[in-house]
């Protein structure tokens, strides 16, 4: 199953050029001359590259940067493939854990230079998917939990969120979106400014091909109506982490669904998860759940309803 996902075409040439660090013209020349990868093409005839393609291209690019010619690098690649049927599956998962620990330590020291250097290292070693999902997303969650448990200060949370939001936001735009899928707006609920959970969910939606208009922390009262009237999204996702903001969040949900008949509101966050049984029953259709499998079920059900 995982192998099928690794071979699925999902990135366009511009995204791959950014991820790998080579010009589109160079990429086309490598493909034409050496046939080392064979990207599929979409209905419009544009190339779509898989995770395995990206791994190979990153490996080749690193060898070229080390001083090999591209032909020498491809010869090395062919030798590697003879040795192992899975040459590009990451073997040192402990390196992922170490990167997470080092980045977290740098955050707690307010050491932005080290944070950026470590993230650059991660993106050099691993694919964009792996860095975002296996390194940065768990870090977001860990930092959020540490703040909620009082283990770090609000200053730590703000500092970390600002850097991760900027880096993840820049990378997420490389994901192509599927124009057939409905538009999505993501914003923190009224009075909310902790974006960590919302960032994770937005990343999840971007990876699934949805075009997400990410608004971040809570916006001024009534501004959300302006956004909805302009964008006309199918989904509005709101994150609520603080229980004292729960009542206004639920009231806004009912108001918006009444005003925008085609809008589906999804709710997530620790305050939503800790609602009393009566509210959970009343707002059950809006509750996203806590795991990606629950998100998958919710999104599929709502996207293809009616």
């Amino acid at each position: 199953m995982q192998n099928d996902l690794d071979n699925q075409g999902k990135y366009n040439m511009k995204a791959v050029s950014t991820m790998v660090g080579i010009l589109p013209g160079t990429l086309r020349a490598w493909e034409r001359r050496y046939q080392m990868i064979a990207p599929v093409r979409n209905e419009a005839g544009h190339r779509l590259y898989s995770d395995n393609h990206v791994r190979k291209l990153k490996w080749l690019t690193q060898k070229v940067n080390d001083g090999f010619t591209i032909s020498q690098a491809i010869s090395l690649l062919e030798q590697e493939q003879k040795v192992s049927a899975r040459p590009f599956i990451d073997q040192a998962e402990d390196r992922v854990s170490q990167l997470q620990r080092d980045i977290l330590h740098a955050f707690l020291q307010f050491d932005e230079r080290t944070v950026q250097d470590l993230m650059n290292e991660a993106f050099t070693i691993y694919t964009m998917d792996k860095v975002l999902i296996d390194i940065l997303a768990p870090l977001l969650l860990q930092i959020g939990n540490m703040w909620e448990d009082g283990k770090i200060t609000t200053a730590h949370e703000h500092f970390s969120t600002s850097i991760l939001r900027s880096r993840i936001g820049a990378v997420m735009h490389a994901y192509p979106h599927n124009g057939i899928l409905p538009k999505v707006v993501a914003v923190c609920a009224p009075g909310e400014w902790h974006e960590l959970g919302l960032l994770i969910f937005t990343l999840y939606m971007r990876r699934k091909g949805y075009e997400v208009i990410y608004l971040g922390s809570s916006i001024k009262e009534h501004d959300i109506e302006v956004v909805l009237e302009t964008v006309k999204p199918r989904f509005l996702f709101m994150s609520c982490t603080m229980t004292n903001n729960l009542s206004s969040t639920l009231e806004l949900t009912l108001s918006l669904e009444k005003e925008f008949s085609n809008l589906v509101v999804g709710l997530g966050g620790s305050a939503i998860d800790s609602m009393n049984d009566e509210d959970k029953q009343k707002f059950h259709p809006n509750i996203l759940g806590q795991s990606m499998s629950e998100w998958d079920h919710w999104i599929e059900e709502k996207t293809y309803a009616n």
Side-chain angles (χ1 to χ4, degrees):
M1 181 65 175
Q2 183 62 45
N3 189 54
D4 291 339
L5 292 176
D6 286 346
N7 290 316
Q8 180 181 351
K10 62 174 75 170
Y11 308 112
N12 60 27
M13 178 171 283
K14 181 179 179 182
V16 171
S17 175
T18 301
M19 294 160 65
V20 176
I22 58 177
L23 296 173
T26 301
L27 180 52
R28 282 192 291 265
W30 286 7
E31 290 178 30
R32 183 173 59 251
R33 183 168 183 178
Y34 300 103
Q35 294 88 44
M36 75 291 187
I37 59 173
V40 299
R41 293 182 182 266
N42 61 17
E43 294 180 357
H46 299 141
R47 293 173 171 84
L48 289 178
Y49 298 82
S50 69
D51 285 326
N52 274 333
H53 291 150
V54 173
R55 291 189 188 95
K56 289 183 179 182
L57 288 168
K58 280 191 172 184
W59 192 91
L60 290 169
T61 302
Q62 183 60 55
K63 291 301 180 185
V64 170
N65 291 338
D66 289 341
F68 293 93
T69 66
I70 182 58
S71 60
Q72 290 171 334
I74 290 173
S75 294
L76 289 173
L77 171 64
E78 292 172 347
Q79 293 174 22
E80 289 280 347
Q81 289 177 318
K82 290 178 181 178
V83 172
S84 172
R86 303 178 68 198
F88 302 104
I89 301 299
D90 302 300
Q91 300 295 320
E93 287 302 318
D94 59 326
R95 182 55 185 150
V96 170
S97 299
Q98 185 62 52
L99 280 167
Q100 287 177 324
R101 290 192 294 270
D102 290 346
I103 294 172
L104 177 61
H105 178 74
F107 274 137
L108 298 184
Q109 299 299 314
F110 298 101
D111 186 352
E112 181 173 358
R113 175 176 292 183
T114 298
V115 168
Q116 297 291 1
D117 287 344
L118 289 167
M119 288 196 291
N120 288 339
E121 179 183 346
F123 279 110
T124 299
I125 299 172
Y126 303 112
T127 65
M128 181 167 64
D129 262 11
K130 187 168 185 66
V131 175
L132 293 177
I133 298 304
D134 294 343
I135 298 178
L136 298 189
L139 258 180
L140 281 169
L141 188 60
Q142 183 177 4
I143 291 168
N145 290 336
M146 290 175 71
W147 176 81
E148 290 179 1
D149 293 340
K151 295 179 179 178
I152 60 174
T153 67
T154 300
H156 288 107
E157 194 269 354
H158 282 7
F159 175 76
S160 304
T161 300
S162 175
I163 294 175
L164 288 172
R165 179 180 58 220
S166 177
R167 192 61 180 261
I168 291 175
V171 174
M172 281 196 303
H173 287 293
Y175 284 112
H177 66 264
N178 186 338
I180 299 176
L181 294 173
K183 290 185 178 181
V184 173
V185 171
V187 65
C188 290
E192 293 280 322
W193 42 271
H194 296 287
E195 302 177 46
L196 298 175
L198 190 67
L199 272 170
I200 294 173
F201 186 78
T202 300
L203 171 58
Y204 158 84
M205 292 296 290
R206 293 262 188 167
R207 290 181 72 246
K208 291 181 73 69
Y210 287 84
E211 180 182 1
V212 184
I213 293 86
Y214 180 78
L215 303 180
S217 57
S218 178
I219 59 179
K220 290 182 179 179
E221 188 176 358
H222 303 307
D223 281 3
I224 188 60
E225 285 90 341
V226 175
V227 174
L228 297 177
E229 289 172 357
T230 303
V231 177
K232 296 178 173 58
R234 171 61 172 163
F235 296 115
L236 167 66
F237 294 111
M238 291 194 292
S239 171
C240 182
T241 62
M242 303 175 69
T243 54
N244 59 326
N245 293 325
L246 182 58
S247 177
S248 59
T249 300
L250 300 181
E251 289 176 6
L252 179 60
T253 298
L254 294 175
S255 173
L256 292 176
E257 288 189 330
K258 183 177 180 180
E259 183 177 354
F260 300 91
S261 58
N262 293 323
L263 181 69
V264 177
V265 179
L267 301 173
S270 55
I272 301 298
D273 298 331
S274 62
M275 285 194 302
N276 59 50
D277 292 339
E278 182 179 350
D279 282 340
K280 281 185 178 180
Q281 184 175 2
K282 182 176 180 179
F283 289 91
H284 176 72
N286 303 99
I287 300 174
L288 291 164
Q290 302 180 48
S291 67
M292 286 191 181
S293 61
E294 290 177 301
W295 297 350
D296 283 335
H297 178 75
W298 194 95
I299 292 296
E300 183 177 354
E301 181 182 73
K302 303 297 183 182
T303 299
Y304 300 106
N306 301 323

